[in-house]
Amino acid sequence: MQSCEISSDSTDDPLSSGLRRHRQPRIVVIGAGLAGLTATKTLLESGFTNVTVLEASDRIGGRVQSIQHGKAILELGATWIHGANGNPVYHLAEDSGLLEHTTDEERSVGRISLYAKNGVAHYQTNNGKRIPKDLVEEFSDLYNGVYELTQEFFQNGKPVGAESQNSVGIFTRDVVRRKIMLDPDDSENTKKLKLSMLQQYLKVESCESSSPSMDEVSLSEFGEWTEIPGAHHVIPGGFMQVVELLAQDIPARMIRRGKPVRRIHWNYSYSEEISQGEHEHDHNRDCWPSQAPAHVECEDGERLPADHIIITASLGVLKKSHETLFLPGLPRDKVHAIDKLGISTTDKIFLEFDEPFWSPDCNSIQFVWEDEAQLEQLAYPQELWYRKICSFDVLYPPERYGYMLSGWICGEEALIMERCDDETVAETCTELLRMFTGNPNIPKPRRILRSSWGSNPYIRGSYSFTRVGSSGGDVERLATPLPYAKSTKAPPLQVLFAGEATHRKYYSTTHGALLSGQREASRLIEMYQDLYNAETTKPNM
């Protein structure tokens, strides 16, 4: 690991003499998702003008992607605003009138189906039978009681027993199974159904956590994730409207699309390379001001000098590329944080039908495999990837969406699904729906649309979670700017980190991403506060 504290001998002033001559700091923001756009907007509002946003793909939005599909707008990425009270995404959307057509049925605090409050989830077994509603409710009460217990380890400082292996999945499965088996009133068949429902609930939970399995989610840290109070909301015109609101006041010339980054040079690493003769044939090097403590090298060869770089790349990209992305390499503790924290893929599969085959009271179809009741781990061979599809939600209202189902799949099985063609996925889903509903006449969908976040080279996953062995402290380490403050000579805040994975309480959410962008912009605004105050109070000559 290369040293990360290469200091400058040019000045003891962390702002450097060049910036003291009232030059606008050069700021490069990597990524035009919610975090990057929010950081840029916040900087512009505070008087910073030399800001460049580099977006690797040909579109802005990051993990927000609203697609026009016939008459409907479907969300391949972020779908809900989770909670209203104090949620900056909610207030941005509400203040701009984006939620004015949201119906009551689209507001729900339920944890399973968020598309509609009305109607009920149909729990269907692979034998084509629907599990009675009262049995589902009885099991749901049991499961939710244990779910509340999983929050208490962090919130109340409860010690984690060795038998749980600090895993939400292992703890939940053990406690729920024990309660089911000790119930004297249930028949063996009822117990088997409840054990099968437990596996299905854990699959749903994995999709919500974007983890391969709840067995990988840390029990001791699970309760730190904080839910904002209030209802869940969808944006009828598409979540991209929030992205467009953030981008509308950013000059178009500042956002450069199709600009993937090859390397981030910081702490004068580029100057050192030149002195060592590593770039003798680089004809651009004379254009690089020697005072720039950092530089961004793009895949197309362009190089941008920077005083500050805000990187909003996903945790998945950092896991894949941090060794080659940063020069010098990242500090060891930051590398460990990247390695320990978790990110996986949660994908959606949208199926559009000419007519509904489900009843009007059905808001989702949940797949319960009776032969999985006693399994310890739900790991499937590649050819059985479809067993990880946990459910299909009914999109509501039909006047907006037509007759549309949204399926959920996560983990390695989602990556296998991404490698299949549309025809294969449509046929597989149709067979599953026929099997679980007991209706062999369900037609193939007229259209299919699905996400592919895992195989997207600029995303590599849906959102982050605290994996067994990681903690909120790792989130803080990931978010800490470089170089670390112990260096008194190196210019500060050369590389800053934003994105949902850097927010300790709200990781995995759009509001976490937005707040992280504000946080990193605020670091720079505070650092330059004195300089700008001095300029604005300068007397007229």
Side-chain angles (χ1 to χ4, degrees):
M1 179 70 66
Q2 291 175 287
S3 168
C4 297
E5 298 301 341
I6 306 167
S7 62
S8 162
D9 295 326
S10 62
T11 176
D12 287 335
D13 182 351
L15 290 181
S16 86
S17 59
L19 297 181
R20 280 298 184 189
R21 288 196 295 271
H22 309 304
R23 172 175 62 74
Q24 275 276 345
R26 296 157 293 188
I27 302 171
V28 176
V29 177
I30 299 176
L34 290 175
L37 293 174
T38 301
T40 303
K41 182 175 186 288
T42 305
L43 289 167
L44 294 178
E45 289 172 348
S46 294
F48 293 78
T49 59
N50 194 346
V51 184
T52 302
V53 183
L54 300 178
E55 169 54 49
S57 72
D58 60 1
R59 65 173 191 88
I60 64 172
R63 283 167 274 178
V64 176
Q65 189 175 11
S66 306
I67 299 293
Q68 189 80 39
H69 189 74
K71 294 188 301 181
I73 294 177
L74 302 179
E75 306 287 12
L76 289 183
T79 304
W80 294 281
I81 299 174
H82 293 290
N85 301 348
N87 185 332
V89 179
Y90 169 80
H91 292 298
L92 183 63
E94 178 73 2
D95 292 346
S96 303
L98 302 187
L99 303 179
E100 63 186 5
H101 299 300
T102 304
T103 62
D104 289 340
E105 288 79 5
E106 289 169 327
R107 302 184 181 193
S108 165
V109 292
R111 294 184 56 252
I112 298 299
S113 177
L114 299 179
Y115 280 106
K117 184 170 67 177
N118 291 348
V120 295
H122 286 209
Y123 284 79
Q124 305 282 156
T125 74
N126 56 302
N127 294 318
K129 305 293 185 184
R130 182 181 171 187
I131 300 175
K133 186 168 176 277
D134 59 345
L135 181 55
V136 172
E137 290 175 349
E138 187 179 311
F139 172 78
S140 183
D141 289 343
L142 167 61
Y143 178 89
N144 288 332
V146 177
Y147 178 86
E148 295 300 321
L149 295 179
T150 64
Q151 312 292 296
E152 294 183 1
F153 291 94
F154 178 86
Q155 294 171 356
N156 299 336
K158 287 177 57 176
V160 175
E163 67 279 0
S164 74
Q165 299 177 46
N166 197 25
S167 159
V168 172
I170 293 172
F171 172 84
T172 302
R173 200 158 41 240
D174 286 351
V175 174
V176 174
R177 278 180 173 172
R178 198 177 311 125
K179 290 177 178 290
I180 290 172
M181 298 313 293
L182 290 176
D183 191 331
D185 298 325
D186 283 347
S187 66
E188 290 303 310
N189 188 52
T190 297
K191 289 179 179 179
K192 180 184 176 184
L193 279 176
K194 287 183 177 180
L195 292 172
S196 302
M197 275 192 284
L198 167 62
Q199 302 285 35
Q200 194 276 339
Y201 268 55
L202 289 172
K203 288 182 193 177
V204 171
E205 204 79 66
S206 295
C207 285
E208 293 189 358
S209 294
S210 195
S211 61
S213 161
M214 292 308 291
D215 291 8
E216 295 194 24
V217 179
S218 172
L219 179 61
S220 59
E221 305 298 315
F222 196 48
E224 184 165 22
W225 187 89
T226 304
E227 186 168 3
I228 291 181
H232 302 283
H233 300 263
V234 297
I235 300 173
F239 217 113
M240 274 300 293
Q241 290 184 315
V242 170
V243 173
E244 291 159 1
L245 281 173
L246 293 172
Q248 68 183 8
D249 295 324
I250 302 173
R253 59 178 170 76
M254 283 188 177
I255 302 177
R256 304 182 62 186
R257 309 179 194 203
K259 294 288 287 187
V261 170
R262 176 183 294 140
R263 185 165 292 174
I264 296 166
H265 303 263
W266 60 288
N267 253 0
Y268 301 95
S269 63
Y270 186 74
S271 302
E272 294 206 342
E273 289 169 19
I274 293 176
S275 67
Q276 295 166 12
E278 291 187 19
H279 287 270
E280 292 178 1
H281 303 292
D282 185 351
H283 302 296
N284 293 327
R285 68 176 184 267
D286 293 335
C287 302
W288 289 37
S290 59
Q291 294 170 334
H295 301 86
V296 177
E297 178 185 352
C298 297
E299 289 285 0
D300 62 8
E302 184 178 3
R303 305 169 190 274
L304 289 81
D307 298 295
H308 311 284
I309 300 166
I310 301 177
I311 179 167
T312 70
S314 73
L315 178 61
V317 168
L318 293 177
K319 282 179 177 289
K320 176 74 175 177
S321 305
H322 75 82
E323 290 182 351
T324 58
L325 187 58
F326 296 92
L327 187 68
L330 295 176
R332 187 172 288 109
D333 62 342
K334 195 176 284 285
V335 170
H336 287 166
I338 291 170
D339 289 343
K340 288 193 290 184
L341 291 168
I343 185 169
S344 185
T345 300
T346 294
D347 278 326
K348 301 176 191 174
I349 306 169
F350 292 100
L351 305 177
E352 183 183 6
F353 295 88
D354 289 319
E355 297 291 336
F357 60 81
W358 53 89
S359 61
D361 76 323
C362 175
N363 67 23
S364 70
I365 302 168
Q366 309 285 330
F367 293 163
V368 179
W369 294 86
E370 291 192 59
D371 57 353
E372 293 181 354
Q374 299 297 336
L375 292 182
E376 290 302 317
Q377 288 191 333
L378 298 178
Y380 302 108
Q382 186 164 320
E383 65 274 12
L384 297 182
W385 64 267
Y386 55 83
R387 280 194 172 231
K388 199 65 171 288
I389 300 175
C390 59
S391 63
F392 278 91
D393 288 332
V394 178
L395 271 63
Y396 186 91
E399 293 78 19
R400 178 177 301 145
Y401 295 108
Y403 303 115
M404 189 90 66
L405 298 179
S406 173
W408 299 87
I409 185 171
C410 63
E412 288 300 313
E413 293 80 6
L415 297 179
I416 297 169
M417 183 277 295
E418 291 181 14
R419 295 196 292 268
C420 297
D421 57 38
D422 280 354
E423 183 70 15
T424 298
V425 176
E427 287 182 357
T428 301
C429 291
T430 304
E431 288 303 316
L432 283 173
L433 289 166
R434 289 170 179 168
M435 177 195 303
F436 280 87
T437 61
N439 178 0
N441 298 318
I442 293 175
K444 280 180 60 177
R446 59 183 293 200
R447 282 192 288 192
I448 178 173
L449 181 70
R450 56 207 170 104
S451 60
S452 54
W453 297 111
S455 53
N456 184 323
Y458 305 132
I459 304 291
R460 297 190 182 279
S462 297
Y463 43 85
S464 62
F465 67 97
T466 45
R467 192 161 60 186
V468 173
S470 69
S471 70
D474 292 309
V475 178
E476 295 287 345
R477 278 181 280 278
L478 178 58
T480 304
L482 297 175
Y484 290 156
K486 64 183 179 182
S487 171
T488 58
K489 292 187 176 182
L493 303 185
Q494 294 176 36
V495 185
L496 304 94
F497 296 82
E500 55 82 16
T502 70
H503 199 291
R504 186 163 182 163
K505 291 200 307 180
Y506 298 143
Y507 59 86
S508 80
T509 66
T510 55
H511 51 275
L514 187 150
L515 288 168
S516 75
Q518 287 181 343
R519 179 193 68 214
E520 298 312 306
S522 295
R523 292 190 205 268
L524 296 177
I525 292 166
E526 289 168 14
M527 189 174 89
Y528 288 98
Q529 195 92 52
D530 293 342
L531 175 62
Y532 282 107
N533 285 344
E535 286 185 344
T536 55
T537 58
K538 198 173 358 181
N540 293 326
M541 300 300 290

